[in-house]
Amino acid sequence: GAFDHVFYVELWMAALTGLAEEYNDYPGPGGHSLLWKSFVLVKLPALIEKLEARKSLKFGENEEIKFGRNECVFNQLSGFRGLFNACNQKVEEIIEDIFQVPDISADILKACFKRNLVRREFVLRILELEWSGFDSMETDSYAGSILNDPNSEMIENFVSTVPMHFLDQESRIETILRLITEWCNKRELRHLSILCRLLCETSALLDIIHLYRHPSEILQPLEQLCNTWERSDDDDFGNISSY
């Protein structure tokens, strides 16, 4: 109803407080900073997008009402500069500057723009910049390449950077799930073993995947592979045990 923007402000405040407290408790690369940042920049905007879609369907609201509501939310959040500053810490050297602006408020604006929650003009006015690439957000172009001609370096570069690529994180996770399914079905054990190792070794990656998808979506293809394992597969697996 009329107070939806207040509800959204409370959601953002709770998420930002969680991230700030995580940085305070674990100022280095430890803890769950990447997981919290994924929640703030990917999961929460996706949730608000779904809520807005439901409101549009149920009440017939137009986009101008949606834009006005979410822009009002950001204007209110801007008053909590101390909270934003507490969320601007970097996790040592492992996060690249995705948005070229060392301020999570800019990250939030662009995440909301990607979800069509705010107007382009509003974002550019707040950031006081012109960005030639604003209409062409980063997209996942790896899926086809990895499936058609996979190699260990390509797989490692793709998987290890998923936690730091917030803008297209969901599509990258979709690609990982697709790779697991296809490689299990085709018994591409060499590539599958590399991917599974990286899932375990890459900081916060499994937790981030579970923000969006149920664990069964990873486990079911692997379970099917194990249940249909044949003696002839042992030799193949033995040849890749070093991976």
Side-chain angles (χ1 to χ4, degrees):
F3 299 99
D4 281 354
H5 72 283
V6 178
F7 174 58
Y8 288 168
V9 169
E10 292 297 327
L11 288 177
W12 282 111
M13 290 287 290
L16 290 166
T17 299
L19 177 59
E21 289 180 350
E22 183 66 26
Y23 275 140
N24 182 64
D25 294 339
Y26 299 95
H32 298 90
S33 300
L34 288 172
L35 180 61
W36 270 106
K37 200 160 188 180
S38 292
F39 183 83
V40 170
L41 296 178
V42 187
K43 185 67 173 182
L44 183 52
L47 173 63
I48 292 175
E49 180 186 33
K50 291 180 180 179
L51 291 173
E52 290 290 358
R54 177 175 293 184
K55 285 181 65 64
S56 177
L57 185 64
K58 186 174 182 179
F59 301 112
E61 290 185 350
N62 60 40
E63 283 200 330
E64 290 303 309
I65 296 176
K66 175 185 68 177
F67 290 147
R69 179 164 46 241
N70 285 282
E71 289 165 10
C72 176
V73 168
F74 188 83
N75 286 332
Q76 286 190 249
L77 288 174
S78 298
F80 298 93
R81 194 67 249 173
L83 181 57
F84 277 135
N85 290 339
C87 294
N88 285 335
Q89 302 179 49
K90 295 294 182 76
V91 184
E92 296 296 318
E93 300 296 327
I94 64 174
I95 295 184
E96 60 185 78
D97 192 0
I98 302 295
F99 299 125
Q100 302 177 333
V101 181
D103 187 342
I104 198 169
S105 63
D107 297 4
I108 290 172
L109 272 176
K110 292 185 179 182
C112 289
F113 176 77
K114 181 186 176 184
R115 303 281 179 181
N116 198 33
L117 298 174
V118 295
R119 285 168 283 216
R120 172 194 174 96
E121 295 76 16
F122 177 79
V123 178
L124 294 178
R125 185 174 74 251
I126 296 294
L127 297 182
E128 297 180 349
L129 57 80
E130 288 292 336
W131 181 25
S132 60
F134 212 74
D135 290 320
S136 55
M137 292 290 194
E138 183 179 2
T139 57
D140 175 21
S141 60
Y142 272 80
S145 299
I146 295 179
L147 284 169
N148 294 332
D149 185 25
N151 62 70
S152 58
E153 182 178 0
M154 181 184 294
I155 298 169
E156 186 152 359
N157 288 341
F158 174 72
V159 176
S160 62
T161 58
V162 169
M164 291 85 79
H165 281 256
F166 304 104
L167 206 56
D168 65 343
Q169 195 171 77
E170 284 182 290
S171 65
R172 287 172 177 260
I173 289 172
E174 291 292 333
T175 298
I176 288 177
L177 296 174
R178 179 183 171 190
L179 292 174
I180 291 174
T181 299
E182 295 210 13
W183 286 343
C184 282
N185 292 339
K186 296 178 180 179
R187 297 181 179 272
E188 295 282 353
L189 301 182
R190 181 185 300 275
H191 304 133
L192 183 61
S193 64
I194 296 171
L195 178 55
C196 289
R197 172 177 58 80
L198 291 168
L199 286 176
C200 295
E201 293 179 354
T202 304
S203 177
L205 179 54
L206 283 174
D207 287 331
I208 290 171
I209 291 175
H210 296 158
L211 275 178
Y212 314 111
R213 307 300 288 267
H214 194 276
S216 63
E217 296 192 44
I218 293 178
L219 296 175
Q220 283 177 350
L222 296 171
E223 180 187 23
Q224 179 67 17
L225 175 64
C226 293
N227 289 341
T228 58
W229 193 271
E230 298 176 0
R231 181 176 294 275
S232 60
D233 295 317
D234 292 343
D235 292 336
D236 295 331
F237 189 75
N239 292 332
I240 63 167
S241 59
S242 61
Y243 289 87

